[in-house]
């Protein structure tokens, strides 16, 4: 079972999935982004055509990775899900400094976990919308104290709710630190998705994470060249990691504070440009389909 903004669905209903994209982001420091900083209807009107285009090329599920204090809005997501016909999944959790509310630094790990568990149990902002995963972020290198607290709270919340964790990640050293914490807490790494894994060039670190069960997400598709992405994907496939790979783009989005949302990048090109290129390059189409459907369903499954 997986929670979408319009309610739970079975794993098999997820279908072709983009596991890491964004509807809206507002990079306003110290958790000061408010609903007054943007117009909900403008966001819906501007983003809806991009989602309809995505739906028309066969995608069925859109995972919105914008966390609280950075532009998560369940009202916007529900309206877009209803109008587009896409399954849309949102999250609980927090990002990283300087985009954290001051209270995050002050409260203990256990209270932080309760915030996210509460959103799962009661719904987000009294909407009844349940998160489908926990979104956090890691700094580069070994974790600084506030990020380590966030990681530990996320593990607690994941154990309590069954939700997987997606972690914005700057390098493999941070992931190794997280694996240490997971071992200490007896946490299953298969509940953790290494976001932006393409940014770490040492593939031996990915292999280490993979062998412990962690998901490896390559979300540079349509940010890097098709050839570069094919070479990177093939390198992972050659190392036998296809069972734990996820593909996405990390694109969109309506930028809060910019006229008409700024430069919104379309979501459909992974399907209309990259996949045809990858097949011609020599990557099997059925394998790509599995990376876009079977793997997301396994990675995002709620284990409560």
């Amino acid at each position: 079972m997986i929670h979408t903004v319009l309610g739970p669905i079975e794993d098999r209903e997820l279908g072709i999935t983009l596991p890491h994209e964004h509807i809206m982001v507002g990079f306003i420091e110290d958790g000061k982004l408010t609903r007054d900083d943007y117009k909900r209807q403008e966001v819906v009107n501007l983003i809806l055509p991009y989602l309809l285009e995505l739906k028309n090329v066969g995608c069925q599920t859109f995972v919105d990775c914008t966390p609280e204090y950075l532009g998560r809005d369940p009202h916007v997501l529900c309206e877009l899900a209803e109008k587009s016909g896409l399954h849309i999944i949102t999250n609980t959790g927090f990002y990283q400094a300087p985009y954290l509310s001051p209270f995050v630094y002050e409260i203990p790990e256990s209270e932080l976990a309760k915030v996210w568990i509460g959103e799962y149990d009661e719904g987000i902002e009294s909407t009844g919308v349940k998160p489908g995963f926990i979104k956090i972020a890691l700094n580069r290198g070994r974790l600084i104290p506030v990020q380590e607290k966030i990681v530990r709270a996320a593990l607690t919340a994941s154990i309590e709710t069954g939700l997987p964790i997606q972690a914005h990640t700057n390098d493999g050293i941070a992931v190794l630190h997280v694996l240490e914490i997971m071992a200490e807490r007896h946490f299953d790494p298969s509940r953790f998705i290494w976001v932006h894994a393409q940014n770490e060039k040492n593939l031996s670190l990915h292999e280490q994470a993979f062998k412990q069960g962690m998901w490896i997400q390559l979300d540079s598709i349509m940010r890097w060249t098709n050839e570069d992405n094919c070479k990177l994907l093939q390198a992972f496939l050659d190392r036998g990691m296809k069972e734990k790979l996820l593909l996405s783009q990390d694109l969109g989005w309506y930028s809060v504070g910019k006229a008409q949302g700024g430069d919104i990048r379309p979501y459909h090109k992974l399907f209309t440009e990259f996949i045809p290129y990858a097949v011609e390059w020599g990557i099997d189409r059925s394998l790509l389909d599995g990376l876009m459907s079977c793997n997301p369903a396994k990675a995002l499954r709620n284990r409560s």
Side-chain angles (χ1 to χ4, degrees), residues 83-238:
K83 290 183 174 179
S84 70
L86 286 166
H87 299 305
I88 295 180
I89 300 172
T90 190
N91 62 85
T92 190
F94 299 142
Y95 194 53
Q96 63 184 349
Y99 307 107
L100 295 171
S101 178
F103 85 89
V104 178
Y105 300 90
E106 299 165 2
I107 66 173
E109 167 200 327
S110 59
E111 292 302 311
L112 193 55
K114 285 180 182 178
V115 172
W116 304 333
I117 295 167
E119 288 198 327
Y120 179 78
D121 289 340
E122 302 169 15
I124 299 168
E125 300 176 11
S126 302
T127 62
V129 170
K130 286 196 171 188
F133 64 103
I134 300 165
K135 174 66 186 294
I136 61 172
L138 312 179
N139 50 277
R140 186 178 299 277
R142 291 184 66 83
L143 306 182
I144 62 175
V146 68
Q147 296 305 142
E148 181 171 348
K149 179 169 71 171
I150 286 173
V151 166
R152 290 180 177 277
L155 300 186
T156 298
S158 177
I159 292 168
E160 181 69 22
T161 63
L163 294 175
I165 300 167
Q166 287 214 51
H168 168 106
T169 307
N170 289 318
D171 68 10
I173 300 302
V175 171
L176 295 185
H177 191 181
V178 170
L179 284 169
E180 291 176 18
I181 298 169
M182 288 180 179
E184 172 195 323
R185 297 284 292 272
H186 304 290
F187 183 87
D188 180 1
S190 71
R191 305 307 296 141
F192 193 94
I193 300 170
W194 177 351
V195 174
H196 310 324
Q198 69 277 355
N199 293 337
E200 173 56 62
K201 307 307 178 187
N202 184 353
L203 297 192
S204 67
L205 300 184
H206 300 92
E207 288 186 275
Q208 185 172 337
F210 165 78
K211 287 176 181 177
Q212 295 192 49
M214 189 177 287
W215 290 92
I216 310 297
Q217 185 168 272
L218 308 178
D219 44 47
S220 61
I221 311 298
M222 308 319 302
R223 283 176 170 265
W224 292 8
T225 68
N226 286 331
E227 182 178 8
D228 286 343
N229 279 312
C230 283
K231 288 179 178 177
L232 181 64
L233 175 56
Q234 190 63 57
F236 280 93
L237 296 175
D238 289 346

Side-chain angles (χ1 to χ4, degrees), residues 13 31 42 52 63 78 117 149 154 225 230 235 269 281 287:
E13 297 178 73
E42 180 178 83
L52 291 173
V63 180
C78 285
I117 295 167
K149 179 169 71 171
T225 68
C230 283
K269 291 187 177 181
W281 196 82
L287 185 149

Side-chain angles (χ1 to χ4, degrees), residues 37-65:
D37 292 315
Y38 61 90
K39 297 177 181 178
R40 280 176 171 160
Q41 202 56 52
E42 180 178 83
V43 178
V44 170
N45 293 344
L46 287 170
I47 293 294
L48 181 59
Y50 294 97
L51 295 182
L52 291 173
E53 195 168 25
L54 178 62
K55 181 74 159 48
N56 286 339
V57 299
C59 187
Q60 293 159 277
T61 300
F62 181 103
V63 180
D64 183 69
C65 285

